[in-house]
Amino acid sequence: MGNVYKNQGPQGTTDPGLPGTTAGSTTTEEPPAGDAAGEAAPDAPGAAPEVTRGRAVVARLARLRAWRERYPRVARAVWWATTVLSVALVYLALLLPVPLAGFEPRMLLRLPGEAVVVAAVLTALPRRPRVVVAALGGAGLAALTVVDLLDMGFGSYLGRGFNLVLDWELLGDARSYLADSLGGTTTTLLTAGVLVLVVVLFAGMAAAMVRIGTVLGRDAQKSTRATLVAGTVWITCSILTVQVAGQPLTVHRAAGALNAQTDRVRETLRDEAAFGRQARADRFGATPGAQLVPDLRGKDVVFTFIESYGRSAIEDPVMAPGVDRTLASSTAALRKAGYRAKSGWLTSATYGGSSWLGHSTTLSGLWIDNQQRYRTVMASDHLSLTKAFRKTGAWDTVGVMPGVQKSWPEQKYYGLDKVYNAFQLGYRGPKFSWSTMPDQYALEAYQRLVHGRQRDKPLMSEIILTSSHQPWAPIPKMVGWDELGDGSVFGPIAQAGRKAGDVIADTTASREEYGKSIQYSVTALTQWLERYGTDDTVLVFLGDHQPISRVSGTHASRDVPISIVAKDPKVLDRIADWGWTDGLRPAHGAPVWKMSAFRDRFLLAYGSTPHPSGG
């Protein structure tokens, strides 16, 4: 439908409303000999394949002309419909990216400046170069549209744009998350659907640009005048900052998106070298083991990350009431058991996901906000907070990682003697969406396999709790600690819980269930401490990042709460000058530090002596 066929009528005129039809005529040319219906004559014996194909093309064109002439109104309607759809497709692509959260239709009432440029180029070119440029430009616009859509998704879920250099591997993680949340079959169908849509987008965008070029080329003079008028209007409205429905009328979002991606790639390549130098410099890199955390000698220290435990859980009006009640009751229960707590805020290096960036930032003392930085640190000798305990020789070190379901080479960087993954904790119950097991079970398994055993040294542990991982359905419930067994007790609870598919796309349900999941995780952890903690147990627990913006809000901070809990008053006395709030709920105005500052503050507070390395 992208070609224009001008069939001359008796007076040599054409119907300007429909390419390929003749005003006042029903036939324009004789069908090929040998076929009164317009079919090509049979090929002669030994005819070349090129000739055969050429005749086939001629036959198809003849049939198309005949159909147009037989049904002129239908043909005209189809022509206009495809033209309008082509313009709409290109127009919408030029308006991307737009925010997914808070999107309003009025955002589409804009004139993209790139449309004027495209019209000018296509109008100026001869027919054949115009077709080539239009097809290539359409493919390029389709590629930019795919990146824009990824950018919108990353902005909504992770609070940052898509990085062309670093983020492709995260798409595999996204697919695994969907498989855990929605099931393998649904995920396979969705993946296939997305791939088909991408192919259709490339083909459709190229065809749309060719169609637009063809329409513009039919009357170059009129198209040139219209383009000049549109350009003048765009420049004038841009200078005068004209607005429609509270939005600027003129935009250049496609060019801006392309520039942003170019700048992001350039900055990523520069950052790789600069961060490598930064990672080699370590304030405690040359500190002897005897001078690391001497004030915690003899203590069992437990570092625990609660998935997606962010400031919104404590301060958002929907989630906060239930979470705050849980924090208050847990603070009271721990106080009754002899424990005291202090709490503050850390600003996470990530948002909505990529939890490992939050873990590594906290424990390395470096700001790790992308995958390249993460890989750099994991391959370095930069001292992690957990490895500092191992370096002393005074602690056994262990990790409990119910979310790890494959080899985990990061164990070396974190200095963990032993890591228990999802398959080594003895769990035989159901998965709870992405989470392989309830937090209560993971903590009981930690107690059974590690914490409750006699040992010659105190224990330093890193535990990652996963029950508050999105999509927050189904959510486990607390059961009697003596009833946990192999986890089969959670079967009926999982069956009775909400389905992930009912929550994952529902903002209200997601917010409500997210709050419940945080209540569950905090309850499980504090009850474990009440039940199994000793006079020498020191618990440090915090969130790794805020939940996605659909839950936390479009303008939410990246802050997460952090608490230190202990029976020995000397442990909390060491951080008395931090200004943290008493109890498990940090006050709104409690100090806020970058997450990367925690390692050094913790090491200094508990008696470590700096000995820099690496410059």
Side-chain angles (χ1 to χ4, degrees):
M1 299 297 291
N3 295 318
V4 178
Y5 302 104
K6 294 187 177 179
N7 301 316
Q8 299 298 321
Q11 285 78 39
T13 61
T14 61
D15 183 348
L18 179 63
T21 61
T22 303
S25 67
T26 58
T27 181
T28 61
E29 60 183 53
E30 293 297 325
D35 187 353
E39 296 290 343
D43 296 327
E50 292 78 6
V51 175
T52 302
R53 285 194 294 270
R55 290 175 175 173
V57 171
V58 170
R60 283 194 293 271
L61 292 176
R63 286 196 296 270
L64 179 60
R65 293 191 188 101
W67 179 85
R68 286 175 170 177
E69 293 165 358
R70 190 175 299 115
Y71 305 104
R73 292 183 179 178
V74 176
R76 184 178 293 108
V78 171
W79 186 88
W80 277 108
T82 52
T83 300
V84 170
L85 287 174
S86 297
V87 172
L89 180 62
V90 172
Y91 171 79
L92 291 174
L94 292 176
L95 290 179
L96 296 180
V98 295
L100 289 177
F103 171 79
E104 297 179 9
R106 65 193 178 104
M107 295 179 179
L108 301 180
L109 299 176
R110 300 178 179 184
L111 177 62
E114 298 87 350
V116 179
V117 176
V118 168
V121 171
L122 295 182
T123 299
L125 291 174
R127 186 180 67 83
R128 288 187 178 180
R130 181 174 64 241
V131 171
V132 173
V133 170
L136 293 177
L141 183 57
L144 181 60
T145 301
V146 170
V147 174
D148 284 341
L149 293 173
L150 288 170
D151 207 52
M152 291 160 59
F154 271 63
S156 178
Y157 277 82
L158 301 180
R160 62 176 179 84
F162 178 74
N163 191 306
L164 278 168
V165 178
L166 304 177
D167 288 337
W168 293 106
E169 62 187 84
L170 297 183
L171 300 181
D173 293 327
R175 188 181 186 282
S176 298
Y177 161 69
L178 289 176
D180 290 327
S181 302
L182 303 177
T185 301
T186 301
T187 300
T188 299
L189 293 175
L190 286 174
T191 303
V194 168
L195 293 176
V196 169
L197 285 175
V198 169
V199 172
V200 170
L201 176 64
F202 272 81
M205 195 71 74
M209 289 287 279
V210 170
R211 164 55 64 89
I212 292 171
T214 300
V215 172
L216 292 171
R218 291 179 61 209
D219 192 328
Q221 290 184 347
K222 288 183 178 180
S223 297
T224 300
R225 287 196 295 270
T227 301
L228 288 174
V229 170
T232 302
V233 169
W234 193 93
I235 294 172
T236 302
C237 291
S238 180
I239 293 174
L240 298 178
T241 63
V242 176
Q243 294 189 348
V244 175
Q247 298 285 329
L249 177 62
T250 56
V251 292
H252 46 86
R253 299 190 68 85
L258 186 60
N259 288 334
Q261 289 295 340
T262 302
D263 291 342
R264 198 171 293 159
V265 169
R266 189 182 299 115
E267 179 60 31
T268 298
L269 297 178
R270 283 201 301 260
D271 180 72
E272 182 177 353
F275 184 73
R277 292 190 296 271
Q278 182 182 350
R280 288 191 292 272
D282 190 343
R283 187 178 184 185
F284 292 92
T287 300
Q291 297 180 24
L292 289 169
V293 288
D295 296 337
L296 289 175
R297 291 293 196 275
K299 304 296 185 184
D300 289 328
V301 183
V302 184
F303 294 98
T304 303
F305 291 91
I306 296 180
E307 172 67 33
S308 302
Y309 179 32
R311 184 188 278 263
S312 297
I314 293 176
E315 297 188 346
D316 182 270
V318 173
M319 291 91 73
V323 173
D324 287 349
R325 283 193 300 270
T326 296
L327 293 173
S329 61
S330 296
T331 297
L334 289 173
R335 184 181 296 114
K336 185 177 180 179
Y339 289 94
R340 296 293 184 271
K342 285 187 176 293
S343 301
W345 302 106
L346 299 178
T347 300
S348 178
T350 185
Y351 175 94
S354 300
S355 302
W356 56 92
L357 302 182
H359 305 162
S360 55
T361 296
T362 303
L363 299 178
S364 71
L366 295 168
W367 189 253
I368 305 174
D369 59 352
N370 64 53
Q371 199 64 15
Q372 180 58 50
R373 287 189 166 209
Y374 181 77
R375 286 193 292 262
T376 298
V377 171
M378 291 301 112
S380 75
D381 295 325
H382 195 91
L383 185 69
S384 66
L385 182 54
T386 45
K387 185 183 283 187
F389 284 84
R390 184 183 184 184
K391 188 176 180 179
T392 67
W395 277 271
D396 291 330
T397 60
V398 67
V400 176
M401 313 285 180
V404 172
Q405 302 180 58
K406 53 186 178 182
S407 61
W408 197 61
E410 289 90 336
Q411 175 180 350
K412 178 181 178 182
Y413 174 76
Y414 287 116
L416 302 174
D417 299 320
K418 169 69 177 176
V419 169
Y420 292 88
N421 64 26
F423 308 110
Q424 297 171 311
L425 296 171
Y427 185 65
R428 298 294 181 268
K431 291 181 68 175
F432 283 76
S433 189
W434 184 89
S435 180
T436 58
M437 66 191 69
D439 291 345
Q440 186 185 10
Y441 180 90
L443 290 164
E444 177 65 25
Y446 165 66
Q447 178 65 25
R448 170 171 43 86
L449 296 171
V450 183
H451 186 262
R453 293 189 173 184
Q454 293 292 325
R455 59 182 64 251
D456 298 329
K457 299 177 181 179
L459 188 65
M460 191 291 303
S461 309
E462 179 187 356
I463 302 175
I464 312 296
L465 298 180
T466 62
S467 289
S468 50
H469 193 288
Q470 63 175 313
W472 308 297
I475 300 173
K477 298 181 182 299
M478 294 295 295
V479 301
W481 287 86
D482 294 329
E483 301 172 8
L484 285 167
D486 64 359
S488 300
V489 67
F490 291 103
I493 296 174
Q495 287 293 327
R498 301 188 69 169
K499 305 300 181 186
D502 298 333
V503 173
I504 195 170
D506 186 323
T507 297
T508 301
S510 291
R511 299 180 78 192
E512 293 172 347
E513 299 307 297
Y514 162 73
K516 294 175 184 177
S517 73
I518 295 298
Q519 294 178 60
Y520 169 79
S521 294
V522 170
T523 299
L525 180 60
T526 54
Q527 283 193 12
W528 171 86
L529 184 60
E530 290 177 59
R531 183 179 178 88
Y532 297 117
T534 70
D535 292 347
D536 291 322
T537 302
V538 177
L539 173 64
V540 182
F541 75 93
L542 67 153
D544 45 24
H545 55 72
Q546 283 265 52
I548 58 176
S549 61
R550 184 160 46 82
V551 171
S552 59
T554 54
H555 301 293
S557 73
R558 293 182 175 228
D559 297 346
V560 299
I562 179 169
S563 301
I564 298 180
V565 190
K567 274 190 177 180
D568 185 347
K570 294 179 182 178
V571 173
L572 297 186
D573 288 345
R574 296 289 183 182
I575 63 170
D577 62 345
W578 286 5
W580 283 14
T581 308
D582 290 335
L584 298 179
R585 185 191 187 281
H588 178 76
V592 181
W593 307 335
K594 289 187 71 173
M595 189 176 266
S596 54
F598 179 74
R599 186 203 72 159
D600 287 8
R601 286 181 178 267
F602 187 90
L603 289 174
L604 288 171
Y606 293 105
S608 304
T609 304
H611 287 277
S613 66

Short mmCIF file of all heavy atoms in Angstrom, two decimals, residues 41-71:
data_model
loop_
_atom_site.label_atom_id
_atom_site.label_comp_id
_atom_site.label_asym_id
_atom_site.label_seq_id
_atom_site.Cartn_x
_atom_site.Cartn_y
_atom_site.Cartn_z
N ALA A 41 0.27 -15.03 -18.58
CA ALA A 41 0.28 -16.20 -19.44
C ALA A 41 1.22 -17.25 -18.87
O ALA A 41 2.20 -16.92 -18.22
CB ALA A 41 0.73 -15.80 -20.85
N PRO A 42 0.92 -18.53 -19.11
CA PRO A 42 1.82 -19.58 -18.62
C PRO A 42 3.21 -19.37 -19.15
O PRO A 42 3.42 -18.89 -20.25
CB PRO A 42 1.17 -20.86 -19.15
CG PRO A 42 -0.26 -20.50 -19.43
CD PRO A 42 -0.25 -19.07 -19.84
N ASP A 43 4.17 -19.73 -18.29
CA ASP A 43 5.57 -19.56 -18.68
C ASP A 43 5.92 -20.52 -19.81
O ASP A 43 5.48 -21.67 -19.84
CB ASP A 43 6.48 -19.85 -17.49
CG ASP A 43 6.24 -18.85 -16.38
OD1 ASP A 43 5.93 -17.69 -16.71
OD2 ASP A 43 6.37 -19.25 -15.20
N ALA A 44 6.71 -20.02 -20.70
CA ALA A 44 7.19 -20.87 -21.78
C ALA A 44 8.20 -21.86 -21.23
O ALA A 44 8.88 -21.57 -20.25
CB ALA A 44 7.83 -20.00 -22.87
N PRO A 45 8.29 -23.02 -21.85
CA PRO A 45 9.28 -23.99 -21.37
C PRO A 45 10.66 -23.37 -21.36
O PRO A 45 11.08 -22.69 -22.29
CB PRO A 45 9.18 -25.13 -22.40
CG PRO A 45 7.81 -24.99 -22.98
CD PRO A 45 7.52 -23.52 -23.00
N GLY A 46 11.36 -23.61 -20.24
CA GLY A 46 12.72 -23.13 -20.12
C GLY A 46 12.86 -21.67 -19.77
O GLY A 46 13.94 -21.10 -19.88
N ALA A 47 11.73 -21.01 -19.37
CA ALA A 47 11.79 -19.60 -19.02
C ALA A 47 12.68 -19.39 -17.79
O ALA A 47 12.67 -20.19 -16.87
CB ALA A 47 10.38 -19.07 -18.74
N ALA A 48 13.42 -18.31 -17.77
CA ALA A 48 14.33 -18.03 -16.65
C ALA A 48 13.52 -17.77 -15.38
O ALA A 48 12.43 -17.21 -15.44
CB ALA A 48 15.19 -16.81 -16.99
N PRO A 49 14.08 -18.13 -14.22
CA PRO A 49 13.37 -17.88 -12.95
C PRO A 49 13.07 -16.40 -12.74
O PRO A 49 12.02 -16.06 -12.20
CB PRO A 49 14.35 -18.40 -11.90
CG PRO A 49 15.21 -19.40 -12.62
CD PRO A 49 15.32 -18.90 -14.02
N GLU A 50 14.00 -15.52 -13.18
CA GLU A 50 13.76 -14.09 -13.02
C GLU A 50 12.52 -13.66 -13.79
O GLU A 50 11.73 -12.84 -13.32
CB GLU A 50 14.98 -13.29 -13.47
CG GLU A 50 16.22 -13.45 -12.60
CD GLU A 50 16.95 -14.76 -12.89
OE1 GLU A 50 16.55 -15.46 -13.84
OE2 GLU A 50 17.91 -15.06 -12.15
N VAL A 51 12.35 -14.21 -14.98
CA VAL A 51 11.19 -13.87 -15.80
C VAL A 51 9.92 -14.36 -15.12
O VAL A 51 8.90 -13.67 -15.08
CB VAL A 51 11.34 -14.49 -17.20
CG1 VAL A 51 10.07 -14.26 -18.02
CG2 VAL A 51 12.55 -13.90 -17.91
N THR A 52 9.98 -15.58 -14.56
CA THR A 52 8.81 -16.14 -13.88
C THR A 52 8.41 -15.27 -12.70
O THR A 52 7.23 -14.96 -12.50
CB THR A 52 9.13 -17.56 -13.39
OG1 THR A 52 9.50 -18.37 -14.51
CG2 THR A 52 7.92 -18.16 -12.69
N ARG A 53 9.41 -14.88 -11.91
CA ARG A 53 9.10 -14.03 -10.75
C ARG A 53 8.56 -12.68 -11.21
O ARG A 53 7.65 -12.12 -10.60
CB ARG A 53 10.35 -13.85 -9.90
CG ARG A 53 10.69 -15.08 -9.06
CD ARG A 53 11.72 -14.74 -7.99
NE ARG A 53 13.01 -14.36 -8.56
CZ ARG A 53 13.99 -15.24 -8.81
NH1 ARG A 53 13.82 -16.53 -8.55
NH2 ARG A 53 15.13 -14.84 -9.32
N GLY A 54 9.13 -12.13 -12.26
CA GLY A 54 8.66 -10.84 -12.75
C GLY A 54 7.22 -10.90 -13.20
O GLY A 54 6.43 -10.00 -12.91
N ARG A 55 6.87 -11.97 -13.89
CA ARG A 55 5.49 -12.11 -14.34
C ARG A 55 4.54 -12.29 -13.15
O ARG A 55 3.40 -11.80 -13.17
CB ARG A 55 5.37 -13.29 -15.29
CG ARG A 55 6.04 -13.03 -16.64
CD ARG A 55 6.01 -14.25 -17.52
NE ARG A 55 6.55 -13.97 -18.84
CZ ARG A 55 6.77 -14.88 -19.77
NH1 ARG A 55 6.51 -16.15 -19.51
NH2 ARG A 55 7.26 -14.53 -20.95
N ALA A 56 5.01 -12.98 -12.13
CA ALA A 56 4.17 -13.17 -10.94
C ALA A 56 3.89 -11.83 -10.27
O ALA A 56 2.77 -11.56 -9.82
CB ALA A 56 4.83 -14.13 -9.97
N VAL A 57 4.93 -10.97 -10.20
CA VAL A 57 4.74 -9.66 -9.60
C VAL A 57 3.76 -8.84 -10.41
O VAL A 57 2.86 -8.17 -9.87
CB VAL A 57 6.09 -8.92 -9.48
CG1 VAL A 57 5.88 -7.47 -9.07
CG2 VAL A 57 7.00 -9.63 -8.49
N VAL A 58 3.91 -8.89 -11.72
CA VAL A 58 3.00 -8.15 -12.61
C VAL A 58 1.57 -8.61 -12.40
O VAL A 58 0.62 -7.82 -12.33
CB VAL A 58 3.42 -8.31 -14.08
CG1 VAL A 58 2.34 -7.76 -15.01
CG2 VAL A 58 4.74 -7.61 -14.33
N ALA A 59 1.40 -9.94 -12.24
CA ALA A 59 0.06 -10.49 -12.04
C ALA A 59 -0.54 -10.01 -10.73
O ALA A 59 -1.73 -9.64 -10.67
CB ALA A 59 0.11 -12.03 -12.06
N ARG A 60 0.27 -9.99 -9.68
CA ARG A 60 -0.25 -9.53 -8.39
C ARG A 60 -0.64 -8.06 -8.44
O ARG A 60 -1.66 -7.65 -7.88
CB ARG A 60 0.79 -9.77 -7.29
CG ARG A 60 0.87 -11.24 -6.85
CD ARG A 60 1.65 -11.38 -5.56
NE ARG A 60 3.06 -11.05 -5.73
CZ ARG A 60 4.00 -11.94 -6.09
NH1 ARG A 60 3.66 -13.21 -6.31
NH2 ARG A 60 5.26 -11.57 -6.22
N LEU A 61 0.20 -7.24 -9.10
CA LEU A 61 -0.12 -5.82 -9.23
C LEU A 61 -1.40 -5.62 -10.03
O LEU A 61 -2.21 -4.75 -9.71
CB LEU A 61 1.04 -5.08 -9.89
CG LEU A 61 2.33 -4.98 -9.06
CD1 LEU A 61 3.42 -4.30 -9.88
CD2 LEU A 61 2.08 -4.22 -7.77
N ALA A 62 -1.57 -6.44 -11.09
CA ALA A 62 -2.78 -6.32 -11.89
C ALA A 62 -4.02 -6.66 -11.08
O ALA A 62 -5.06 -6.00 -11.18
CB ALA A 62 -2.68 -7.24 -13.12
N ARG A 63 -3.92 -7.70 -10.26
CA ARG A 63 -5.07 -8.08 -9.42
C ARG A 63 -5.38 -6.97 -8.41
O ARG A 63 -6.53 -6.68 -8.09
CB ARG A 63 -4.78 -9.39 -8.70
CG ARG A 63 -4.85 -10.61 -9.62
CD ARG A 63 -4.95 -11.91 -8.81
NE ARG A 63 -3.75 -12.13 -8.01
CZ ARG A 63 -2.68 -12.80 -8.45
NH1 ARG A 63 -2.66 -13.27 -9.69
NH2 ARG A 63 -1.63 -12.97 -7.67
N LEU A 64 -4.30 -6.34 -7.83
CA LEU A 64 -4.50 -5.27 -6.87
C LEU A 64 -5.20 -4.08 -7.53
O LEU A 64 -6.13 -3.50 -6.96
CB LEU A 64 -3.16 -4.84 -6.29
CG LEU A 64 -3.19 -3.69 -5.27
CD1 LEU A 64 -4.05 -4.07 -4.07
CD2 LEU A 64 -1.78 -3.34 -4.81
N ARG A 65 -4.77 -3.73 -8.75
CA ARG A 65 -5.41 -2.63 -9.47
C ARG A 65 -6.87 -2.94 -9.75
O ARG A 65 -7.76 -2.08 -9.58
CB ARG A 65 -4.68 -2.36 -10.79
CG ARG A 65 -3.27 -1.81 -10.65
CD ARG A 65 -2.75 -1.32 -11.99
NE ARG A 65 -1.34 -0.98 -11.90
CZ ARG A 65 -0.35 -1.76 -12.34
NH1 ARG A 65 -0.64 -2.92 -12.89
NH2 ARG A 65 0.90 -1.37 -12.22
N ALA A 66 -7.11 -4.17 -10.14
CA ALA A 66 -8.49 -4.55 -10.45
C ALA A 66 -9.36 -4.46 -9.20
O ALA A 66 -10.51 -4.01 -9.25
CB ALA A 66 -8.52 -5.97 -11.02
N TRP A 67 -8.81 -4.89 -8.07
CA TRP A 67 -9.59 -4.84 -6.82
C TRP A 67 -9.88 -3.39 -6.43
O TRP A 67 -10.98 -3.05 -6.02
CB TRP A 67 -8.79 -5.53 -5.71
CG TRP A 67 -9.50 -5.51 -4.38
CD1 TRP A 67 -10.44 -6.38 -3.93
CD2 TRP A 67 -9.32 -4.52 -3.35
NE1 TRP A 67 -10.87 -6.01 -2.68
CE2 TRP A 67 -10.21 -4.88 -2.29
CE3 TRP A 67 -8.52 -3.38 -3.22
CZ2 TRP A 67 -10.29 -4.14 -1.12
CZ3 TRP A 67 -8.61 -2.64 -2.05
CH2 TRP A 67 -9.49 -3.03 -1.02
N ARG A 68 -8.90 -2.53 -6.59
CA ARG A 68 -9.09 -1.12 -6.25
C ARG A 68 -10.17 -0.49 -7.13
O ARG A 68 -10.98 0.31 -6.65
CB ARG A 68 -7.79 -0.36 -6.42
CG ARG A 68 -6.74 -0.63 -5.34
CD ARG A 68 -5.46 0.09 -5.69
NE ARG A 68 -4.53 0.06 -4.58
CZ ARG A 68 -3.31 0.55 -4.63
NH1 ARG A 68 -2.89 1.12 -5.76
NH2 ARG A 68 -2.51 0.49 -3.59
N GLU A 69 -10.14 -0.83 -8.39
CA GLU A 69 -11.11 -0.25 -9.31
C GLU A 69 -12.51 -0.82 -9.10
O GLU A 69 -13.51 -0.14 -9.31
CB GLU A 69 -10.65 -0.47 -10.75
CG GLU A 69 -9.38 0.32 -11.07
CD GLU A 69 -8.70 -0.16 -12.35
OE1 GLU A 69 -9.21 -1.13 -12.94
OE2 GLU A 69 -7.68 0.43 -12.74
N ARG A 70 -12.56 -2.06 -8.63
CA ARG A 70 -13.85 -2.69 -8.41
C ARG A 70 -14.49 -2.18 -7.12
O ARG A 70 -15.71 -2.06 -7.02
CB ARG A 70 -13.68 -4.21 -8.34
CG ARG A 70 -15.01 -4.97 -8.35
CD ARG A 70 -14.79 -6.49 -8.39
NE ARG A 70 -14.08 -6.88 -9.60
CZ ARG A 70 -12.86 -7.42 -9.62
NH1 ARG A 70 -12.23 -7.65 -8.49
NH2 ARG A 70 -12.31 -7.74 -10.76
N TYR A 71 -13.64 -1.86 -6.09
CA TYR A 71 -14.17 -1.40 -4.80
C TYR A 71 -13.48 -0.08 -4.42
O TYR A 71 -12.69 -0.03 -3.46
CB TYR A 71 -13.92 -2.44 -3.71
CG TYR A 71 -14.45 -3.81 -4.04
CD1 TYR A 71 -13.59 -4.83 -4.43
CD2 TYR A 71 -15.81 -4.08 -3.97
CE1 TYR A 71 -14.06 -6.09 -4.74
CE2 TYR A 71 -16.31 -5.34 -4.27
CZ TYR A 71 -15.42 -6.34 -4.65
OH TYR A 71 -15.89 -7.58 -4.96
#
